[in-house]
Amino acid sequence: MLEALQEIGALLRELPPKAAQAFLMAAVCEVPSADVATELGISPRMVRKYVAQVMLRCMLTEAGATARALQDPTFA
Amino acid sequence: MAAIPLIPADGQDARPACTNPPHHVMEQAAEWYALLISSEAVAADRQRWLAWLNADPSHRQAWTYVERVSQRILAPLRETPDPRLTTDNLHAAGQRVIRRRRALVRIASLAGVGVFGWLGWRQTPLSTLAAAWTADYRAATGEIRATVLSDGSRVWLNTASAFNQDFLPRLRRLHLVTGEILIETGTDKDRPFVVDTAEGRLRALGTRFTVRQEAGATLLAVYQGAVEIRTTGNAPAVVITAGHQARYTARAVAPATRADPAREAWIRGDLLANNLTLRELADELGRYTLGHIGVAPQVAQRRVFGTFPLRDVHSALALLAQAAQVKLQRPLPWWTTLVAADDAAAR
């Protein structure tokens, strides 16, 4: 539990605040994406984009990907 | 956190990941995840996702990373006594929506891939799934959840279950869309408490009972008080009293039999086997995992006794192998077959 917290905490600090917020709300708290969108004042499409970006970052960490992959330019 | 057969943690993976999937495949997997957990996902999206999953081994491999993140990082967060607090501490997340959402208390989670198990949904009619995805309350495959309704009634959702709540001024109504729920009704003399299933309406005359939607039938087990069954086909109403269970279709109610107290153990995350066959036990465990659990015919009728953890199917299978003196074959990460112990080496 503590380990998971530390891992994701470190990861989220590197992300744009809204991306991190959208991900925590949608993936951890299971808030419906429409509500996340309203709460953060962004479109549902943007919520999905943020969730995908953060998930990808987690996956790459999980995959032990190279530093180069982590700094992928497609991750804005 | 429970293991999920899809991702063996013990190196039994038939295809060790020597190289990671290409970056664009990892991206696709992340995009699928984002779509599938969103409230915009529709049935057709699941079909397209499955097609994508099966299109290339690298897709499935990328998906294992989604599952691993979900199990290893997200699930422990969801299981904290108050995920809202946890995530707020991690980040000043918006509070109002989350607090509202917390009305649904999660007592346990096998998390995995959330609401979209690939074997699970493939075996369920799409219309049912579509209804389940939009239901008021639901539990994913492998999840066991508890919730408290506005009248104080408590409801536990078993794996892969969903129900809708419709509280009217003169009636408290739940509609079981799929799966199984255990209900402890709150007291409200002026508003009867009913549960509707595909085959009929149950009226709670007492307090504690489980309802399980099966294919073409409903199984009712009453542990306290009594429940009246009225089928949609207008069979004569039948009252089932505490300690009894009955299965009914739209047209008829089968004679009541003794309710097995073991049937209640799932709310604590236990599967109690009291003289079950290996086949019955594997089928029951199979409801809690997205993977497939097969049983060789030679051992299917062996009798099993014991308690098995539903939140950790991987461990449950290992325990079962010991208890029933069988071996586990795992030709694919999500495929487990129970075979006779002396067979395993020969194959």
Side-chain angles (χ1 to χ4, degrees), chain A residues 27 30-31 33 39 48 62, chain B residues 39-40 97 101 106 145:
Chain A
E30 300 184 307
V31 177
S33 49
E39 190 77 7
R48 253 173 37 211
E62 191 66 37
Chain B
S39 37
E40 296 141 62
V97 176
R101 186 65 178 170
R106 175 187 292 251
R145 288 181 164 203

Side-chain angles (χ1 to χ4, degrees), chain B residues 262-283:
Chain B
R263 289 241 12 86
E264 232 191 322
W266 61 263
I267 65 168
R268 297 188 302 275
D270 290 331
L271 171 54
L272 301 187
N274 183 11
N275 199 21
L276 289 180
T277 66
L278 204 49
R279 155 80 55 209
E280 288 167 331
L281 199 129
D283 286 350

Side-chain angles (χ1 to χ4, degrees), chain A residues 56-74:
Chain A
L56 179 64
R57 178 66 71 100
C58 293
M59 288 164 69
L60 293 175
T61 306
E62 191 66 37
T66 59
R68 195 179 54 75
L70 278 169
Q71 288 157 8
D72 185 84
T74 59

Side-chain angles (χ1 to χ4, degrees), chain A:
Chain A
M1 168 53 216
L2 206 59
E3 197 189 342
L5 258 180
Q6 282 168 350
E7 269 180 67
I8 198 163
L11 201 137
L12 291 177
R13 275 192 287 277
E14 297 168 14
L15 297 172
K18 276 206 176 166
Q21 241 171 320
F23 184 76
L24 286 174
M25 290 173 79
V28 179
C29 297
E30 300 184 307
V31 177
S33 49
D35 292 347
V36 178
T38 311
E39 190 77 7
L40 299 181
I42 56 179
S43 68
R45 195 185 175 78
M46 205 60 210
V47 173
R48 253 173 37 211
K49 197 178 159 196
Y50 281 146
V51 170
Q53 284 180 345
V54 180
M55 176 46 94
L56 179 64
R57 178 66 71 100
C58 293
M59 288 164 69
L60 293 175
T61 306
E62 191 66 37
T66 59
R68 195 179 54 75
L70 278 169
Q71 288 157 8
D72 185 84
T74 59
F75 190 93

Side-chain angles (χ1 to χ4, degrees), chain A residues 56 59-60 63, chain B residues 20-31 62 65:
Chain A
L56 179 64
M59 288 164 69
L60 293 175
Chain B
N20 286 325
H23 189 74
H24 73 273
V25 174
M26 295 287 264
E27 274 181 335
Q28 286 169 5
E31 281 160 17
Y65 287 115

Side-chain angles (χ1 to χ4, degrees), chain B residues 31 50 145 159 314 320:
Chain B
E31 281 160 17
L50 186 63
R145 288 181 164 203
T159 177
H314 216 65
L320 179 58

Side-chain angles (χ1 to χ4, degrees), chain B residues 131-143:
Chain B
W133 291 326
T134 56
D136 297 337
Y137 299 91
R138 59 189 180 187
T141 298
E143 281 185 320

